[in-house]
Amino acid sequence: MIAKFSTLGSLLKRRKKQGDDGSIVVEGARKATGGRARTRIVMTMAVFFGIYSAIAGRLVYLGFQSPDMSGGPQNRVTASRPDIVDRNGEVLATDIKTASLFAEPRRIVDADEAIEKLSTVLPEIDYEQTYHKLKSGAGFVWLQRQLTPKQQSDIMQLGIPGFGFRTEKRRFYPSGETSSYIVGLTNIDNQGISGMEKYIDDQGLTDLQASGLAVARDLKPVQLSIDLRVQNVVRDEVANGMERFHAIAAGAVVLNVKTGEVMAMASVPDFDPNNPYNAQDKDRLNRMSAGLYEMGSTFKSFTTAMALDSGKVTLESRFDATRPIRIGRQTIHDFHSKGRVLSVPEVFIYSSNIGSAKEAEAVGIEGHREFLHRLGVLEKMQTELPEVARPTEPKVWKQVNSITIAFGHGVSTTPLQTAVGCAALMNGGFLIEPTFLPRTAQQAMEVAKKVVSEKTVEGMRYLYALNAEKGSGKSARVPGYRVGGKTGTAEKVVNGRYSKEKNFNAFVAAFPMDDPQYIVLTIADEPKPEKPGMGATAASNAGVMAGNIIRRSAAMLGVKPDFSHENGATLVSYQ
């Protein structure tokens, strides 16, 4: 019996156990079953661990790779910009939302079919370029930026797989070409590239955009000094003047002589900033600040002021203009020769080249050069507008240079700088750099430089008024507004020589002459006679434009008419 149990124990090496329900459980069998379960669990865990390890490894690998720039647009591809408004709050530039078309080439099934369908809405699209984009295999490519709502709707109806739209911002200019050279332009990514748009970017907007802080609700409008009402008048008059006088270009500026604020400025030909397809054409130039010209007889304003301010010449001084001046190979004539001795007022109203040359001779070469630099007409102008040209002058001034510069030949400057220099001769003798931002008279005086004496200013006001009364400035007279001014008809240099057929004409006007508030300077480039038999001097075109601008805008500028002077006479007394 003992041997029986002993044998059984050695064979089975296991024990029987009675369960709660009376069943017999073999412990060794249970252990074998548990081992197989654990094996399955471990294998399953290993599979999942392998999968997640592969995913994690791929993520780590991608994290160390250079970003794929074709995978989509940058977050701030068109960041917000502040509105630009005129001095009265009228909107000149603002952001609007627009849709731009993109494609995901990896999802494009048939590039040829996609382009064929797209061309029914966008016929101008470049087939070859678009085909290469769609076959590139990239994750993202732009196809067309800044679509119209109709174009977006029509493309959506095509139902092309792999095409999509992104909402962007673009610039809208309600006044169109009226103030295009002042306000400027933005590029396709809404970044300023010219005019005050570029100035705003340079003042820190670009940094705000880069940091993501250029949020529309936080950007205050940028107010300019220009008055859109006056700007409309100026642009209209120069555009009409260019056509009327058959000129290749025309322009004008209205400047506040007390503050240096540019109230309006226009140059034609210009462009529509909402569709600037021709903005880069050679003839699209802001001639008022970026064009350099010999300003002709308008420079006699500076020559006479210089002579008076030197103390060596008075209004009673007289100069012999009976014979032309010969210097080297050059002979200086008067256009309207009187063939006699002229007083300083006569030199001015008859626009005598000979008399002006002798005024400069009385001051001397160094004094002449110093005076023009003092007035800023030969220095690069400091203002907000980026498009500003640097004046040119002879490296070494000789006697012949001083003589020709006295009547506006031999140096080149911008029309806007000429207006600023003339403003100093009208406002009490202070040179105030021009600004396209609002500025009070008090703020202007903080940056102003005294350049001529009060006595000189009184003399120049008298001469401006006298010239409008009896001289070449008659065409700019406006009854009730006491206008004064000076014409300038300069022969243009063609192939290194002065042309008798091509002129650059200008007229600088100031009003009202008893206490000038504004300067209006107009230009006409290569004007022709309005009608056969008529002249083409500055009085007949630039002067007419100046008079029209004053007539239409004086009330907007706050200048009240005064008809107490007979026939609107502008003559003032000089003590």
Side-chain angles (χ1 to χ4, degrees):
M1 190 70 165
I2 296 174
K4 182 179 179 180
F5 282 104
S6 176
T7 302
L8 182 62
S10 61
L11 290 173
L12 297 177
K13 299 289 185 181
R14 56 191 178 188
R15 294 174 303 155
K16 294 179 182 179
K17 184 177 181 181
Q18 185 174 1
D20 295 334
D21 56 355
S23 61
I24 302 300
V25 178
V26 181
E27 188 174 352
R30 185 182 63 185
K31 288 182 177 180
T33 303
R36 286 194 298 271
R38 283 195 298 272
T39 300
R40 286 194 297 269
I41 292 172
V42 170
M43 291 179 63
T44 302
M45 290 177 63
V47 170
F48 277 100
F49 180 78
I51 293 173
Y52 283 110
S53 295
I55 294 174
R58 181 63 177 170
L59 291 175
V60 171
Y61 169 78
L62 292 175
F64 284 97
Q65 303 304 303
S66 298
D68 182 4
M69 299 307 291
S70 65
Q74 297 179 4
N75 291 335
R76 293 181 298 276
V77 68
T78 50
S80 298
R81 300 182 63 81
D83 287 353
I84 299 178
V85 299
D86 82 334
R87 66 187 306 109
N88 300 313
E90 295 293 330
V91 176
L92 302 173
T94 190
D95 280 346
I96 60 172
K97 290 183 179 180
T98 184
S100 290
L101 175 66
F102 69 86
E104 298 172 274
R106 297 169 186 170
R107 295 180 55 201
I108 299 297
V109 178
D110 188 332
D112 290 299
E113 181 183 7
I115 298 172
E116 185 177 347
K117 288 183 177 180
L118 184 61
S119 64
T120 61
V121 179
L122 303 175
E124 74 281 3
I125 198 165
D126 187 297
Y127 185 95
E128 185 176 354
Q129 185 183 55
T130 306
Y131 180 82
H132 287 308
K133 286 183 177 181
L134 297 184
K135 298 294 287 184
S136 66
F140 177 96
V141 292
W142 285 119
L143 293 182
Q144 187 82 350
R145 306 284 288 276
Q146 299 182 353
L147 300 170
T148 65
K150 185 178 187 307
Q151 287 174 327
Q152 181 186 15
S153 175
D154 291 344
I155 293 172
M156 290 177 67
Q157 292 179 20
L158 296 176
I160 305 174
F163 280 14
F165 300 92
R166 177 181 173 86
T167 300
E168 297 189 286
K169 296 184 181 71
R170 64 164 292 183
R171 213 59 167 158
F172 175 63
Y173 303 92
S175 60
E177 65 273 1
T178 300
S179 55
S180 56
Y181 284 120
I182 296 177
V183 177
L185 275 175
T186 58
N187 61 16
I188 194 72
D189 292 323
N190 221 21
Q191 298 168 336
I193 57 174
S194 69
M196 295 302 290
E197 292 277 32
K198 187 175 188 305
Y199 168 79
I200 293 169
D201 279 25
D202 294 342
Q203 297 308 299
L205 178 62
T206 300
D207 295 334
L208 282 177
Q209 291 174 335
S211 63
L213 299 177
V215 182
R217 65 176 179 269
D218 298 331
L219 297 175
K220 296 181 179 179
V222 176
Q223 187 176 42
L224 303 187
S225 61
I226 68 170
D227 186 321
L228 186 57
R229 301 169 303 170
V230 181
Q231 182 69 27
N232 272 297
V233 169
V234 170
R235 201 272 170 180
D236 183 56
E237 285 298 332
V238 298
N240 290 338
M242 176 178 160
E243 181 179 359
R244 176 180 174 183
F245 304 117
H246 316 290
I248 64 170
V253 61
V254 178
L255 183 73
N256 186 319
V257 304
K258 306 290 188 180
T259 65
E261 294 171 295
V262 176
M263 307 299 293
M265 186 176 75
S267 175
V268 291
D270 51 18
F271 61 92
D272 183 355
N274 295 307
N275 184 27
Y277 69 94
N278 58 351
Q280 298 299 318
D281 290 356
K282 291 183 179 180
D283 63 342
R284 264 58 180 185
L285 169 72
N286 182 4
R287 287 166 167 80
M288 301 307 293
S289 67
L292 290 176
Y293 304 99
E294 294 186 346
M295 294 300 296
S297 294
T298 56
F299 250 54
K300 291 172 183 173
S301 299
F302 306 136
T303 304
T304 302
M306 172 188 67
L308 295 175
D309 204 59
S310 71
K312 299 176 181 179
V313 176
T314 68
L315 287 182
E316 289 73 34
S317 298
R318 302 172 71 83
F319 295 96
D320 187 358
T322 56
R323 290 182 298 275
I325 297 175
R326 290 182 176 84
I327 181 167
R329 296 182 179 180
Q330 298 193 44
T331 303
I332 311 302
H333 298 273
D334 278 349
F335 187 72
H336 298 290
S337 178
K338 299 300 177 181
R340 62 179 175 82
V341 174
L342 302 175
S343 66
V344 168
E346 288 176 325
V347 168
F348 196 80
I349 66 174
Y350 298 145
S351 201
S352 171
N353 294 338
I354 298 171
S356 297
K358 292 191 173 182
E359 288 178 342
E361 190 175 29
V363 175
I365 298 173
E366 288 305 317
H368 191 179
R369 184 176 184 276
E370 184 277 331
F371 185 82
L372 293 182
H373 277 277
R374 193 197 315 167
L375 252 63
V377 293
L378 296 184
E379 301 284 347
K380 185 174 181 181
M381 183 169 53
Q382 301 300 313
T383 189
E384 299 85 11
L385 206 65
E387 295 78 25
V388 173
R390 182 182 294 277
T392 62
E393 62 175 309
K395 290 184 179 179
V396 178
W397 281 44
K398 299 180 180 179
Q399 185 66 32
V400 65
N401 301 122
S402 183
I403 287 175
T404 58
I405 292 170
F407 50 86
H409 285 76
V411 294
S412 297
T413 190
T414 68
L416 179 56
Q417 282 177 274
T418 305
V420 171
C422 290
L425 306 180
M426 297 289 119
N427 67 8
F430 294 95
L431 177 64
I432 305 172
E433 293 285 4
T435 181
F436 291 85
L437 300 174
R439 180 198 281 163
T440 65
Q442 181 179 352
Q443 291 170 332
M445 291 308 297
E446 292 174 359
V447 298
K449 297 178 182 178
K450 185 74 171 179
V451 290
V452 295
S453 67
E454 290 283 353
K455 188 72 171 177
T456 300
V457 171
E458 291 176 8
M460 292 308 301
R461 289 180 179 180
Y462 168 75
L463 292 175
Y464 265 40
L466 182 66
N467 192 47
E469 187 69 20
K470 298 183 177 180
S472 59
K474 292 180 181 178
S475 59
R477 288 175 55 185
V478 180
Y481 288 105
R482 307 182 305 285
V483 179
K486 183 73 185 76
T487 53
T489 303
E491 295 176 350
K492 293 184 67 174
V493 176
V494 179
N495 297 324
R497 304 189 66 176
Y498 286 104
S499 171
K500 297 294 183 183
E501 288 77 35
K502 296 182 178 181
N503 292 336
F504 181 83
N505 294 354
F507 188 93
V508 56
F511 73 101
M513 284 314 304
D514 53 348
D515 182 19
Q517 303 294 313
Y518 296 97
I519 288 283
V520 177
L521 188 145
T522 55
I523 63 170
D525 196 354
E526 297 186 22
K528 312 287 188 305
E530 183 179 359
K531 296 178 181 178
M534 298 180 66
T537 60
S540 60
N541 40 67
V544 172
M545 288 192 291
N548 290 342
I549 289 172
I550 295 170
R551 183 178 297 106
R552 294 176 60 185
S553 65
M556 300 175 189
L557 293 167
V559 180
K560 297 179 180 180
D562 181 359
F563 296 98
S564 60
H565 301 315
E566 184 179 358
N567 298 323
T570 59
L571 190 59
V572 295
S573 62
Y574 175 79
Q575 301 296 330

